[in-house]
Amino acid sequence: MADPVLPPDSRNQPANDDAASCIKKVADDAESSRENVAEETAHIVDAAAERALCRKFDFRLLPILAVMYLFNALDKGNLGNAQTAGLSEDLNFAPGQYNLIVGIFFVPYVLTAATRNFSGIFALRFFLGAVESAFFPLVIFYLTTFYRRSELARRLAIFYAASNIANAFSGLLAFGVFQIKSHLVDHPWRWLFIIEGALTVLFSIFVFFHLPKSAAEATFLNEDEKALAYHRIHVDSSSVVNETFNLKESLKIFKRPSTYGFLLIEIALGVPLQSVSLFLPQIVQRIVKDTVRVNLYTVAPNITGAVSLLILAFSSDLLRIRFPFICLGFALTFTGFIIYAAISDLERQIKLAYYATFMMTWGTSAPSVLLSTWYNNNVAHEGQRLALTSVGVPLANLMGLVASNVFREQDKPKYEPALITTASFGGFGFLVAACLGLYMAFDNRRRNRRQGVKLSARDVPTSRLRDGPKVDDFRWFL
């Protein structure tokens, strides 16, 4: 007997029910995900309490770290000031030996004043570089344990601006020191190393006892503030707060393809950054012949570089986006070095040449801070964050070897090959940063489509992101 013929609506009802059930389940899961995310990222304490806590961190940590970095930058850059006062001639350097001394700092200061020849200053610069190489990456990691991701760039900018101030201050200090007439030393530049080295050592003793190891050990916080500090980092910086370092786990960061994009940008950044830091006095010497005025003419570019850094970093935090501002910095660097290299008639275009030195400083400081912030914002595992920063920052510093060897004595005063090389690295950095940022934006949209939600990095607590991009809810901090 033939099977009874069911009405069309009755025949399709189970399939329709299954489809409706699946759609409802997906919608419920998406809504549940949104609710969980909102719950985990909601403020436990009001925003006023967070602002008060940040102010405590700002006043207790940033001034000390900024002064430390100021001394660090002075120790690294005062060789350029000493060179304008005749360091190479006084110590009878052979051609190219000054460049070697500049470069050796980047392979791994009171004492520098006692050197009598090339070998002595070369050895001392090596050991100075070895002991100072970890300072900047560790400060970056240190601040990630106190501040949310969206608060980090402007704090690092305030800290890093000390480098620009140091470069400006070093010119003023050198100007004053070179006026010292004393029978205690045979050359005025020796006082530069004595004064700056002594200040660094004395201040480090104070810092050792003043800075807290973590928010949990900060004596200036009460128990409620310590709990709030822990919550802030748990949901918006680290997957596990104050995690014990595990080398094997930490090295897994180098299995991520994005890591090598960040490291390529560090390489591209290192050459213009170190060129400006180490050779701005020599670049300016093309415009101003007098030794004293050379150091004074480096002050304004460095001061405006610090202002540019603060503007771009604060804007980046406000908009919660990094890579467009990094690209802007590289574009300014590229333009500044190309303009300076292209000037053939200096007397007619001296104002443009000096303006180009301003663009060099505008473009080098901001990418350094924002790049370090960018990859720290995208790594929630504290050990992996430390490992990446500890490789990335020294890698940029290592490119000082390139900078110190392209500014050759035979190319002075224009240094055209060095300027073109530095500009090329700036252009390369722009391209890599733009490509990596656009990929991240594309991947975020793809993940949203796959989950049927609209999430950004700010919506996902870092406590859930220990495994990085392997986690479905992971969103890149652009």
Side-chain angles (χ1 to χ4, degrees), residues 381-422:
H381 188 294
E382 288 189 347
Q384 293 179 4
R385 198 160 68 222
L386 179 60
L388 178 54
T389 306
S390 297
V391 171
V393 174
L395 187 61
N397 284 334
L398 188 62
M399 299 313 292
L401 286 171
V402 176
S404 62
N405 285 287
V406 295
F407 281 85
R408 302 176 302 175
E409 192 74 14
Q410 60 264 39
D411 297 325
K412 64 185 304 187
K414 189 175 181 179
Y415 296 107
E416 186 172 2
L419 297 173
I420 293 172
T421 300
T422 305

mmCIF file of all heavy atoms in Angstrom, residues 381-422:
data_model
loop_
_atom_site.group_PDB
_atom_site.id
_atom_site.type_symbol
_atom_site.label_atom_id
_atom_site.label_comp_id
_atom_site.label_asym_id
_atom_site.label_seq_id
_atom_site.Cartn_x
_atom_site.Cartn_y
_atom_site.Cartn_z
ATOM 1 N N HIS A 381 50.765 36.494 27.112
ATOM 2 C CA HIS A 381 51.641 35.648 27.930
ATOM 3 C C HIS A 381 52.841 36.487 28.372
ATOM 4 O O HIS A 381 53.618 36.965 27.539
ATOM 5 C CB HIS A 381 52.093 34.445 27.099
ATOM 6 C CG HIS A 381 52.835 33.401 27.871
ATOM 7 N ND1 HIS A 381 54.075 33.620 28.441
ATOM 8 C CD2 HIS A 381 52.517 32.101 28.165
ATOM 9 C CE1 HIS A 381 54.491 32.524 29.037
ATOM 10 N NE2 HIS A 381 53.564 31.583 28.890
ATOM 11 N N GLU A 382 53.025 36.671 29.670
ATOM 12 C CA GLU A 382 54.071 37.575 30.163
ATOM 13 C C GLU A 382 55.467 37.119 29.756
ATOM 14 O O GLU A 382 56.316 37.937 29.371
ATOM 15 C CB GLU A 382 53.984 37.705 31.687
ATOM 16 C CG GLU A 382 52.793 38.517 32.157
ATOM 17 C CD GLU A 382 52.830 38.835 33.642
ATOM 18 O OE1 GLU A 382 53.652 38.214 34.369
ATOM 19 O OE2 GLU A 382 52.055 39.692 34.075
ATOM 20 N N GLY A 383 55.740 35.820 29.836
ATOM 21 C CA GLY A 383 57.058 35.317 29.460
ATOM 22 C C GLY A 383 57.341 35.522 27.985
ATOM 23 O O GLY A 383 58.456 35.905 27.592
ATOM 24 N N GLN A 384 56.343 35.265 27.137
ATOM 25 C CA GLN A 384 56.511 35.460 25.700
ATOM 26 C C GLN A 384 56.673 36.935 25.361
ATOM 27 O O GLN A 384 57.433 37.304 24.460
ATOM 28 C CB GLN A 384 55.329 34.855 24.955
ATOM 29 C CG GLN A 384 55.268 33.331 25.061
ATOM 30 C CD GLN A 384 54.074 32.738 24.344
ATOM 31 O OE1 GLN A 384 53.306 33.437 23.685
ATOM 32 N NE2 GLN A 384 53.898 31.427 24.481
ATOM 33 N N ARG A 385 55.962 37.773 26.097
ATOM 34 C CA ARG A 385 56.087 39.223 25.892
ATOM 35 C C ARG A 385 57.508 39.681 26.227
ATOM 36 O O ARG A 385 58.113 40.464 25.495
ATOM 37 C CB ARG A 385 55.068 39.939 26.778
ATOM 38 C CG ARG A 385 54.777 41.358 26.367
ATOM 39 C CD ARG A 385 53.462 41.814 26.942
ATOM 40 N NE ARG A 385 53.487 41.955 28.386
ATOM 41 C CZ ARG A 385 52.520 41.572 29.198
ATOM 42 N NH1 ARG A 385 51.451 40.980 28.704
ATOM 43 N NH2 ARG A 385 52.607 41.770 30.495
ATOM 44 N N LEU A 386 58.031 39.165 27.312
ATOM 45 C CA LEU A 386 59.392 39.511 27.717
ATOM 46 C C LEU A 386 60.412 38.999 26.703
ATOM 47 O O LEU A 386 61.367 39.707 26.353
ATOM 48 C CB LEU A 386 59.680 38.921 29.099
ATOM 49 C CG LEU A 386 61.076 39.178 29.677
ATOM 50 C CD1 LEU A 386 61.341 40.666 29.817
ATOM 51 C CD2 LEU A 386 61.223 38.489 31.026
ATOM 52 N N ALA A 387 60.207 37.782 26.207
ATOM 53 C CA ALA A 387 61.139 37.204 25.238
ATOM 54 C C ALA A 387 61.164 38.017 23.944
ATOM 55 O O ALA A 387 62.240 38.312 23.400
ATOM 56 C CB ALA A 387 60.759 35.751 24.947
ATOM 57 N N LEU A 388 59.983 38.386 23.447
ATOM 58 C CA LEU A 388 59.924 39.150 22.201
ATOM 59 C C LEU A 388 60.544 40.533 22.365
ATOM 60 O O LEU A 388 61.306 40.995 21.515
ATOM 61 C CB LEU A 388 58.466 39.266 21.738
ATOM 62 C CG LEU A 388 58.225 40.074 20.461
ATOM 63 C CD1 LEU A 388 59.072 39.552 19.304
ATOM 64 C CD2 LEU A 388 56.746 40.051 20.079
ATOM 65 N N THR A 389 60.235 41.189 23.477
ATOM 66 C CA THR A 389 60.797 42.524 23.712
ATOM 67 C C THR A 389 62.305 42.452 23.890
ATOM 68 O O THR A 389 63.032 43.334 23.414
ATOM 69 C CB THR A 389 60.158 43.151 24.963
ATOM 70 O OG1 THR A 389 58.737 43.129 24.834
ATOM 71 C CG2 THR A 389 60.599 44.599 25.135
ATOM 72 N N SER A 390 62.775 41.403 24.536
ATOM 73 C CA SER A 390 64.206 41.255 24.794
ATOM 74 C C SER A 390 64.998 40.947 23.533
ATOM 75 O O SER A 390 66.221 41.117 23.509
ATOM 76 C CB SER A 390 64.447 40.152 25.824
ATOM 77 O OG SER A 390 63.852 40.491 27.059
ATOM 78 N N VAL A 391 64.332 40.490 22.497
ATOM 79 C CA VAL A 391 64.992 40.281 21.205
ATOM 80 C C VAL A 391 64.772 41.488 20.293
ATOM 81 O O VAL A 391 65.706 41.954 19.623
ATOM 82 C CB VAL A 391 64.470 38.991 20.532
ATOM 83 C CG1 VAL A 391 64.990 38.874 19.104
ATOM 84 C CG2 VAL A 391 64.895 37.771 21.334
ATOM 85 N N GLY A 392 63.554 42.008 20.283
ATOM 86 C CA GLY A 392 63.212 43.084 19.348
ATOM 87 C C GLY A 392 63.976 44.371 19.585
ATOM 88 O O GLY A 392 64.561 44.945 18.650
ATOM 89 N N VAL A 393 64.002 44.846 20.824
ATOM 90 C CA VAL A 393 64.670 46.118 21.117
ATOM 91 C C VAL A 393 66.175 46.033 20.888
ATOM 92 O O VAL A 393 66.753 46.902 20.230
ATOM 93 C CB VAL A 393 64.336 46.591 22.549
ATOM 94 C CG1 VAL A 393 65.145 47.830 22.905
ATOM 95 C CG2 VAL A 393 62.842 46.879 22.672
ATOM 96 N N PRO A 394 66.866 44.988 21.408
ATOM 97 C CA PRO A 394 68.299 44.877 21.099
ATOM 98 C C PRO A 394 68.586 44.729 19.608
ATOM 99 O O PRO A 394 69.631 45.167 19.129
ATOM 100 C CB PRO A 394 68.729 43.623 21.869
ATOM 101 C CG PRO A 394 67.767 43.518 22.996
ATOM 102 C CD PRO A 394 66.462 43.981 22.411
ATOM 103 N N LEU A 395 67.654 44.116 18.869
ATOM 104 C CA LEU A 395 67.847 43.985 17.424
ATOM 105 C C LEU A 395 67.883 45.361 16.765
ATOM 106 O O LEU A 395 68.715 45.617 15.877
ATOM 107 C CB LEU A 395 66.727 43.129 16.826
ATOM 108 C CG LEU A 395 66.865 42.752 15.350
ATOM 109 C CD1 LEU A 395 68.134 41.936 15.123
ATOM 110 C CD2 LEU A 395 65.638 41.954 14.893
ATOM 111 N N ALA A 396 66.983 46.241 17.199
ATOM 112 C CA ALA A 396 67.010 47.614 16.681
ATOM 113 C C ALA A 396 68.295 48.315 17.086
ATOM 114 O O ALA A 396 68.895 49.059 16.291
ATOM 115 C CB ALA A 396 65.795 48.391 17.198
ATOM 116 N N ASN A 397 68.742 48.075 18.321
ATOM 117 C CA ASN A 397 70.000 48.671 18.770
ATOM 118 C C ASN A 397 71.188 48.130 17.981
ATOM 119 O O ASN A 397 72.140 48.851 17.694
ATOM 120 C CB ASN A 397 70.209 48.407 20.260
ATOM 121 C CG ASN A 397 69.343 49.287 21.129
ATOM 122 O OD1 ASN A 397 68.941 50.376 20.731
ATOM 123 N ND2 ASN A 397 69.031 48.829 22.324
ATOM 124 N N LEU A 398 71.129 46.841 17.652
ATOM 125 C CA LEU A 398 72.221 46.221 16.909
ATOM 126 C C LEU A 398 72.414 46.872 15.545
ATOM 127 O O LEU A 398 73.530 46.886 15.000
ATOM 128 C CB LEU A 398 71.950 44.721 16.736
ATOM 129 C CG LEU A 398 73.078 43.871 16.146
ATOM 130 C CD1 LEU A 398 74.304 43.904 17.064
ATOM 131 C CD2 LEU A 398 72.608 42.450 15.920
ATOM 132 N N MET A 399 71.345 47.444 15.007
ATOM 133 C CA MET A 399 71.453 48.120 13.719
ATOM 134 C C MET A 399 72.286 49.391 13.824
ATOM 135 O O MET A 399 72.590 50.030 12.813
ATOM 136 C CB MET A 399 70.062 48.428 13.171
ATOM 137 C CG MET A 399 69.205 47.200 12.919
ATOM 138 S SD MET A 399 70.075 45.891 12.016
ATOM 139 C CE MET A 399 70.275 46.666 10.424
ATOM 140 N N GLY A 400 72.661 49.753 15.054
ATOM 141 C CA GLY A 400 73.641 50.823 15.218
ATOM 142 C C GLY A 400 74.961 50.465 14.556
ATOM 143 O O GLY A 400 75.738 51.359 14.180
ATOM 144 N N LEU A 401 75.230 49.166 14.376
ATOM 145 C CA LEU A 401 76.421 48.746 13.637
ATOM 146 C C LEU A 401 76.359 49.229 12.201
ATOM 147 O O LEU A 401 77.374 49.635 11.621
ATOM 148 C CB LEU A 401 76.552 47.217 13.676
ATOM 149 C CG LEU A 401 77.010 46.594 14.990
ATOM 150 C CD1 LEU A 401 76.876 45.085 14.930
ATOM 151 C CD2 LEU A 401 78.440 46.997 15.296
ATOM 152 N N VAL A 402 75.162 49.167 11.614
ATOM 153 C CA VAL A 402 75.001 49.669 10.242
ATOM 154 C C VAL A 402 75.180 51.174 10.222
ATOM 155 O O VAL A 402 75.948 51.718 9.412
ATOM 156 C CB VAL A 402 73.615 49.279 9.682
ATOM 157 C CG1 VAL A 402 73.411 49.884 8.289
ATOM 158 C CG2 VAL A 402 73.462 47.764 9.634
ATOM 159 N N ALA A 403 74.469 51.853 11.123
ATOM 160 C CA ALA A 403 74.547 53.315 11.156
ATOM 161 C C ALA A 403 75.971 53.792 11.388
ATOM 162 O O ALA A 403 76.438 54.745 10.737
ATOM 163 C CB ALA A 403 73.624 53.857 12.252
ATOM 164 N N SER A 404 76.672 53.136 12.300
ATOM 165 C CA SER A 404 78.016 53.601 12.652
ATOM 166 C C SER A 404 79.029 53.344 11.551
ATOM 167 O O SER A 404 80.107 53.943 11.547
ATOM 168 C CB SER A 404 78.481 52.925 13.945
ATOM 169 O OG SER A 404 78.564 51.525 13.771
ATOM 170 N N ASN A 405 78.700 52.484 10.597
ATOM 171 C CA ASN A 405 79.649 52.176 9.528
ATOM 172 C C ASN A 405 79.266 52.757 8.174
ATOM 173 O O ASN A 405 80.059 52.667 7.225
ATOM 174 C CB ASN A 405 79.826 50.662 9.408
ATOM 175 C CG ASN A 405 80.673 50.092 10.532
ATOM 176 O OD1 ASN A 405 81.882 50.281 10.574
ATOM 177 N ND2 ASN A 405 80.032 49.415 11.475
ATOM 178 N N VAL A 406 78.078 53.340 8.070
ATOM 179 C CA VAL A 406 77.736 54.016 6.805
ATOM 180 C C VAL A 406 78.078 55.501 6.864
ATOM 181 O O VAL A 406 78.260 56.135 5.820
ATOM 182 C CB VAL A 406 76.253 53.826 6.434
ATOM 183 C CG1 VAL A 406 75.954 52.364 6.161
ATOM 184 C CG2 VAL A 406 75.321 54.381 7.500
ATOM 185 N N PHE A 407 78.176 56.062 8.076
ATOM 186 C CA PHE A 407 78.609 57.453 8.206
ATOM 187 C C PHE A 407 80.149 57.476 8.237
ATOM 188 O O PHE A 407 80.775 57.542 9.280
ATOM 189 C CB PHE A 407 78.021 58.086 9.477
ATOM 190 C CG PHE A 407 76.596 58.518 9.328
ATOM 191 C CD1 PHE A 407 75.565 57.616 9.529
ATOM 192 C CD2 PHE A 407 76.284 59.820 8.976
ATOM 193 C CE1 PHE A 407 74.245 58.008 9.390
ATOM 194 C CE2 PHE A 407 74.969 60.225 8.835
ATOM 195 C CZ PHE A 407 73.936 59.310 9.044
ATOM 196 N N ARG A 408 80.727 57.416 7.056
ATOM 197 C CA ARG A 408 82.175 57.291 6.929
ATOM 198 C C ARG A 408 82.840 58.666 6.841
ATOM 199 O O ARG A 408 82.263 59.622 6.321
ATOM 200 C CB ARG A 408 82.521 56.464 5.690
ATOM 201 C CG ARG A 408 81.924 55.060 5.688
ATOM 202 C CD ARG A 408 82.231 54.343 4.396
ATOM 203 N NE ARG A 408 81.719 55.086 3.240
ATOM 204 C CZ ARG A 408 81.940 54.731 1.974
ATOM 205 N NH1 ARG A 408 82.667 53.648 1.712
ATOM 206 N NH2 ARG A 408 81.436 55.443 0.982
ATOM 207 N N GLU A 409 84.072 58.710 7.326
ATOM 208 C CA GLU A 409 84.827 59.961 7.357
ATOM 209 C C GLU A 409 85.012 60.537 5.956
ATOM 210 O O GLU A 409 84.948 61.753 5.759
ATOM 211 C CB GLU A 409 86.191 59.702 8.015
ATOM 212 C CG GLU A 409 86.968 60.957 8.363
ATOM 213 C CD GLU A 409 86.397 61.695 9.568
ATOM 214 O OE1 GLU A 409 85.570 61.098 10.294
ATOM 215 O OE2 GLU A 409 86.767 62.860 9.757
ATOM 216 N N GLN A 410 85.210 59.676 4.971
ATOM 217 C CA GLN A 410 85.480 60.156 3.619
ATOM 218 C C GLN A 410 84.243 60.764 2.948
ATOM 219 O O GLN A 410 84.362 61.390 1.893
ATOM 220 C CB GLN A 410 86.047 59.041 2.726
ATOM 221 C CG GLN A 410 85.139 57.826 2.551
ATOM 222 C CD GLN A 410 85.487 56.713 3.507
ATOM 223 O OE1 GLN A 410 85.803 56.983 4.663
ATOM 224 N NE2 GLN A 410 85.454 55.468 3.041
ATOM 225 N N ASP A 411 83.050 60.551 3.540
ATOM 226 C CA ASP A 411 81.824 61.086 2.941
ATOM 227 C C ASP A 411 81.394 62.411 3.560
ATOM 228 O O ASP A 411 80.377 62.975 3.152
ATOM 229 C CB ASP A 411 80.678 60.077 3.087
ATOM 230 C CG ASP A 411 80.943 58.777 2.348
ATOM 231 O OD1 ASP A 411 81.566 58.839 1.275
ATOM 232 O OD2 ASP A 411 80.543 57.713 2.859
ATOM 233 N N LYS A 412 82.114 62.896 4.567
ATOM 234 C CA LYS A 412 81.736 64.145 5.219
ATOM 235 C C LYS A 412 81.984 65.312 4.262
ATOM 236 O O LYS A 412 82.814 65.221 3.373
ATOM 237 C CB LYS A 412 82.490 64.322 6.544
ATOM 238 C CG LYS A 412 83.990 64.461 6.402
ATOM 239 C CD LYS A 412 84.702 64.524 7.732
ATOM 240 C CE LYS A 412 84.227 65.608 8.643
ATOM 241 N NZ LYS A 412 85.050 65.737 9.872
ATOM 242 N N PRO A 413 81.260 66.422 4.391
ATOM 243 C CA PRO A 413 80.250 66.701 5.420
ATOM 244 C C PRO A 413 78.834 66.284 5.013
ATOM 245 O O PRO A 413 77.932 66.325 5.819
ATOM 246 C CB PRO A 413 80.337 68.223 5.543
ATOM 247 C CG PRO A 413 80.657 68.677 4.159
ATOM 248 C CD PRO A 413 81.555 67.624 3.572
ATOM 249 N N LYS A 414 78.628 65.861 3.749
ATOM 250 C CA LYS A 414 77.266 65.579 3.289
ATOM 251 C C LYS A 414 76.788 64.188 3.707
ATOM 252 O O LYS A 414 75.606 63.977 3.974
ATOM 253 C CB LYS A 414 77.183 65.713 1.770
ATOM 254 C CG LYS A 414 75.763 65.646 1.235
ATOM 255 C CD LYS A 414 75.696 65.898 -0.268
ATOM 256 C CE LYS A 414 74.262 65.848 -0.778
ATOM 257 N NZ LYS A 414 74.165 66.105 -2.225
ATOM 258 N N TYR A 415 77.693 63.216 3.741
ATOM 259 C CA TYR A 415 77.355 61.828 4.087
ATOM 260 C C TYR A 415 76.228 61.278 3.200
ATOM 261 O O TYR A 415 75.310 60.615 3.682
ATOM 262 C CB TYR A 415 76.938 61.729 5.556
ATOM 263 C CG TYR A 415 78.013 62.082 6.553
ATOM 264 C CD1 TYR A 415 77.961 63.275 7.275
ATOM 265 C CD2 TYR A 415 79.086 61.230 6.787
ATOM 266 C CE1 TYR A 415 78.951 63.596 8.199
ATOM 267 C CE2 TYR A 415 80.078 61.548 7.703
ATOM 268 C CZ TYR A 415 80.005 62.731 8.399
ATOM 269 O OH TYR A 415 80.981 63.043 9.311
ATOM 270 N N GLU A 416 76.328 61.524 1.908
ATOM 271 C CA GLU A 416 75.231 61.140 1.007
ATOM 272 C C GLU A 416 74.926 59.643 1.018
ATOM 273 O O GLU A 416 73.754 59.250 1.114
ATOM 274 C CB GLU A 416 75.543 61.613 -0.418
ATOM 275 C CG GLU A 416 74.381 61.379 -1.381
ATOM 276 C CD GLU A 416 74.614 62.031 -2.736
ATOM 277 O OE1 GLU A 416 75.692 62.624 -2.939
ATOM 278 O OE2 GLU A 416 73.708 61.959 -3.579
ATOM 279 N N PRO A 417 75.929 58.740 0.925
ATOM 280 C CA PRO A 417 75.592 57.298 0.969
ATOM 281 C C PRO A 417 74.879 56.911 2.259
ATOM 282 O O PRO A 417 73.949 56.086 2.243
ATOM 283 C CB PRO A 417 76.970 56.617 0.874
ATOM 284 C CG PRO A 417 77.863 57.630 0.233
ATOM 285 C CD PRO A 417 77.380 58.953 0.721
ATOM 286 N N ALA A 418 75.293 57.496 3.384
ATOM 287 C CA ALA A 418 74.660 57.177 4.670
ATOM 288 C C ALA A 418 73.215 57.663 4.693
ATOM 289 O O ALA A 418 72.319 56.958 5.190
ATOM 290 C CB ALA A 418 75.448 57.819 5.810
ATOM 291 N N LEU A 419 72.976 58.860 4.173
ATOM 292 C CA LEU A 419 71.618 59.405 4.174
ATOM 293 C C LEU A 419 70.682 58.569 3.313
ATOM 294 O O LEU A 419 69.537 58.299 3.692
ATOM 295 C CB LEU A 419 71.639 60.859 3.678
ATOM 296 C CG LEU A 419 72.431 61.853 4.538
ATOM 297 C CD1 LEU A 419 72.503 63.216 3.848
ATOM 298 C CD2 LEU A 419 71.806 61.995 5.921
ATOM 299 N N ILE A 420 71.170 58.136 2.153
ATOM 300 C CA ILE A 420 70.340 57.328 1.251
ATOM 301 C C ILE A 420 70.071 55.952 1.870
ATOM 302 O O ILE A 420 68.944 55.425 1.809
ATOM 303 C CB ILE A 420 71.024 57.189 -0.120
ATOM 304 C CG1 ILE A 420 71.066 58.558 -0.818
ATOM 305 C CG2 ILE A 420 70.291 56.177 -0.987
ATOM 306 C CD1 ILE A 420 71.877 58.569 -2.093
ATOM 307 N N THR A 421 71.094 55.362 2.483
ATOM 308 C CA THR A 421 70.916 54.060 3.144
ATOM 309 C C THR A 421 69.879 54.157 4.263
ATOM 310 O O THR A 421 68.984 53.306 4.385
ATOM 311 C CB THR A 421 72.256 53.575 3.732
ATOM 312 O OG1 THR A 421 73.207 53.441 2.673
ATOM 313 C CG2 THR A 421 72.079 52.237 4.441
ATOM 314 N N THR A 422 69.988 55.206 5.072
ATOM 315 C CA THR A 422 69.066 55.384 6.194
ATOM 316 C C THR A 422 67.639 55.598 5.700
ATOM 317 O O THR A 422 66.687 55.038 6.252
ATOM 318 C CB THR A 422 69.516 56.577 7.057
ATOM 319 O OG1 THR A 422 70.867 56.385 7.458
ATOM 320 C CG2 THR A 422 68.639 56.709 8.293
#
